[in-house]
Amino acid sequence: MKFQDLKHELNNNLDSVYIINGKDGFLRQKAQDMIETKAVSNLKDINITRYNDDNYNLDAILRDLEAIPMMADNRVVVLKDLALRSVVDADFIKKILENNIHHSILLISDGIGATWYKNLTKFATIVDCSPLDDVILQKIALKSFQDNQVVIDASALSMLVQYCSGDLMRINNEINKLSNYVGKNGMVTTAIIADQVHKDLDYNIFELSNAVSKKDAKTALNIVRQLLIQKESPQVLLMMLTANFRRMFFAVISKESNADIAKKLGVKEYAIKVAKDMGRRFSPVKLKNIIDFGGELDYKIKSGEMSAENALYYFITNITI
């Protein structure tokens, strides 16, 4: 089930086990809040217990699952981002769940790709909190601006989502900042976005990759200079740029759908479409050579043969000139 379907499902039914997974931490927290609010109306501090790696205690978790809620219909036990747990732990939890305890709800939130709880998935409603596509993000952002009684034009809305690389938490923070900046009944324009919203590093890398793939050396080098002025690591920039060419390579050679490729790479479907468009400017062999070249330069940086900044400029000029 997609995150955007959760509200409707909660209105119809409350399950006993939820597994919330996906890379968007803002969405996962939002889903967790929605489930907790639906499940427990009274004495939340008593009826909701939360565990992470810092306070993990299997015995306490099992007791909480069997405990009777206090002045409420349900108890909720939250297990969030637990790493390196054993499937044996999941088996103990499974035994509790098999007893069909109707007053307890287990909520597992996982953004780290853990597998310890795989034996519990058959009991669970899975909530997919993968990054949302730009259309949905723009709808969410527009609603937030409207709630703040602020107007934003379509171009500015699209620009905001792009500058934040589709990160909903950043978008939400920027909406609050921009709403305060323009005030009630004010209007957010593209000029205000350009002036007030800092471009996400991923978006800068997208622009850099696009310029390099077009062999537009002037634009590419200007972007790099600005990023270095902002104290971005040249080695990280080289790694991210090489990774974008790797994505282009996989997008171009794969016969799978954009959606399937996006799922495997953990990115948005739109990102694969863009990667294909950029990648078609090169032959698959050329893309493979570029990836290998980036790897060679990374090795030279780590071995002290070349400075990271020189390697970054060499990578770009080798492709564009």
Side-chain angles (χ1 to χ4, degrees):
M1 175 175 60
K2 295 289 187 181
F3 166 82
Q4 50 267 41
D5 300 321
L6 177 60
K7 183 177 180 180
H8 179 264
E9 289 298 319
L10 288 175
N11 287 334
N12 295 328
N13 180 52
L14 188 63
D15 204 347
S16 58
V17 185
Y18 289 91
I19 295 175
I20 305 171
N21 54 29
K23 290 187 174 182
D24 195 313
F26 184 88
L27 287 184
R28 285 192 293 112
Q29 186 59 53
K30 188 75 172 176
Q32 178 181 328
D33 293 343
M34 290 167 64
I35 294 168
E36 290 181 0
T37 299
K38 179 68 176 179
V40 180
S41 56
N42 294 318
L43 301 176
K44 291 188 176 183
D45 290 343
I46 295 174
N47 291 308
I48 300 176
T49 50
R50 302 179 179 88
Y51 294 90
N52 54 38
D53 276 335
D54 292 333
N55 68 344
Y56 182 83
N57 184 312
L58 179 61
D59 290 336
I61 290 168
L62 298 179
R63 287 196 300 270
D64 285 339
L65 286 171
E66 293 184 304
I68 302 298
M70 182 177 291
M71 298 177 65
D73 293 331
N74 303 292
R75 282 187 58 83
V76 177
V77 180
V78 180
L79 310 181
K80 188 167 185 177
D81 288 337
L82 296 179
L84 303 177
R85 299 299 163 187
S86 169
V87 293
V88 174
D89 289 24
D91 286 337
F92 280 107
I93 295 172
K94 180 181 175 184
K95 289 179 181 178
I96 301 293
L97 299 177
E98 286 174 337
N99 290 331
N100 294 316
I101 299 175
H102 298 293
H103 55 258
S104 291
I105 295 170
L106 175 65
L107 192 160
I108 299 172
S109 179
D110 173 42
I112 57 178
T115 59
W116 66 271
Y117 57 81
K118 62 183 179 181
N119 293 342
L120 305 177
T121 55
K122 70 176 183 178
F123 295 94
T125 293
I126 312 294
V127 183
D128 181 4
C129 290
S130 299
L132 300 174
D133 65 46
D134 286 359
V135 173
I136 295 174
L137 286 171
Q138 288 182 37
K139 288 181 179 178
I140 293 173
L142 180 60
K143 177 64 165 58
S144 295
F145 277 116
Q146 290 171 342
D147 290 342
N148 291 338
Q149 299 183 53
V150 169
V151 179
I152 182 169
D153 63 48
S155 297
L157 194 61
S158 175
M159 191 175 180
L160 172 63
V161 170
Q162 290 176 7
Y163 272 28
C164 296
S165 294
D167 185 310
L168 192 51
M169 184 173 291
R170 253 209 82 195
I171 292 170
N172 187 64
N173 291 337
E174 293 295 343
I175 288 171
N176 292 332
K177 183 180 77 175
L178 290 166
S179 297
N180 289 329
Y181 181 77
V182 301
K184 186 177 178 181
N185 298 321
M187 183 168 186
V188 177
T189 63
T190 54
I192 291 175
I193 297 291
D195 181 59
Q196 294 294 318
V197 179
H198 178 70
K199 292 181 184 178
D200 188 272
L201 178 57
D202 285 338
Y203 182 73
N204 277 305
I205 294 297
F206 159 74
E207 288 193 318
L208 177 58
S209 300
N210 190 42
V212 172
S213 67
K214 287 180 175 179
K215 299 189 176 183
D216 182 352
K218 182 179 179 180
T219 299
L221 294 175
N222 282 337
I223 293 171
V224 167
R225 291 189 191 101
Q226 288 301 314
L227 290 172
L228 293 179
I229 289 172
Q230 295 169 19
K231 305 301 183 183
E232 297 292 351
S233 162
Q235 186 172 5
V236 170
L237 296 178
L238 176 61
M239 291 171 60
M240 294 179 73
L241 191 52
T242 304
N244 262 19
F245 273 92
R246 186 175 294 109
R247 183 186 298 172
M248 293 179 209
F249 176 70
F250 285 123
V252 167
I253 67 169
S254 177
K255 294 182 180 179
E256 294 181 287
S257 69
N258 288 356
D260 288 338
I261 301 171
K263 186 174 183 180
K264 286 183 177 179
L265 297 182
V267 297
K268 296 180 185 179
E269 187 174 342
Y270 178 74
I272 299 302
K273 179 184 180 300
V274 171
K276 277 188 176 179
D277 291 340
M278 291 186 192
R280 289 192 182 105
R281 296 166 185 163
F282 305 90
S283 70
V285 172
K286 178 63 175 176
L287 285 171
K288 182 64 168 60
N289 290 339
I290 290 172
I291 296 166
D292 291 342
F293 183 52
E296 291 170 9
L297 291 176
D298 185 58
Y299 175 79
K300 288 183 177 181
I301 295 170
K302 291 174 179 175
S303 63
E305 294 181 45
M306 184 180 290
S307 73
E309 188 170 331
N310 285 344
L312 176 61
Y313 280 123
Y314 187 31
F315 181 82
I316 291 170
T317 55
N318 184 269
I319 299 170
T320 57
I321 296 176

